[in-house]
């Protein structure tokens, strides 16, 4: 039986030359363009891979081209099989 429990996962993307180009622009406009590019890119990966309304992207990570998303373990497996995705890791709370 598939788990319905949603947990926070971090998703890191494969190399993207456009990300590298935008990251090199250190101006305010460059930072804005990078934020918008990554947010759109990450939303598109989720929309292509998972059913709408079944996940909650919490934020994009600009410094590493990744994002955090609340998903099930089965959804994490689906994201791992996507060609744009390098790594999907469940958030580990340190005690």
């Amino acid at each position: 039986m598939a788990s319905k429990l949603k947990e926070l996962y971090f998703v890191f993307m494969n190399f993207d030359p456009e990300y590298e180009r935008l990251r090199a622009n250190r101006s305010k406009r460059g930072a804005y363009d990078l934020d918008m590019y990554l947010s759109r890119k990450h939303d598109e990966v989720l929309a292509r891979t998972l059913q709408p309304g079944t996940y909650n992207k919490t934020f994009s990570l600009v410094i590493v081209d990744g994002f955090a998303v609340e998903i099930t373990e089965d959804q994490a497996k689906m994201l791992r099989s996507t060609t744009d995705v390098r790594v999907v890791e469940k958030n580990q709370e340190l005690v």
Side-chain angles (χ1 to χ4, degrees):
M1 178 182 243
S3 172
K4 300 290 182 202
L5 175 66
K6 290 185 181 178
E7 296 183 86
L8 186 66
Y9 284 81
F10 292 100
V11 179
F12 301 99
M13 307 301 289
N14 282 324
F15 176 77
D16 176 359
E18 182 65 7
Y19 163 75
E20 295 297 333
R21 186 189 71 76
L22 289 168
R23 196 172 74 142
N25 183 348
R26 303 277 187 196
S27 68
K28 280 187 179 182
R29 177 61 191 208
Y32 174 80
D33 289 346
L34 178 59
D35 285 345
M36 291 296 97
Y37 173 75
L38 287 181
S39 183
R40 185 173 45 254
K41 173 180 152 181
H42 299 158
D43 289 345
E44 288 171 0
V45 166
L46 288 166
R48 274 194 324 262
T49 310
L50 306 176
Q51 292 292 320
T54 64
Y55 59 86
N56 179 37
K57 184 180 90 169
T58 56
F59 56 88
S60 288
L61 302 161
V62 174
I63 197 163
V64 293
D65 189 6
F67 58 94
V69 62
E70 294 173 351
I71 53 176
T72 66
E73 185 177 334
D74 289 341
Q75 288 174 308
K77 288 177 186 174
M78 291 173 68
L79 278 173
R80 284 185 186 105
S81 67
T82 304
T83 58
D84 297 334
V85 172
R86 182 171 40 98
V87 176
V88 178
E89 286 294 328
K90 186 165 68 168
N91 184 35
Q92 300 294 317
E93 302 236 357
L94 300 176
V95 182

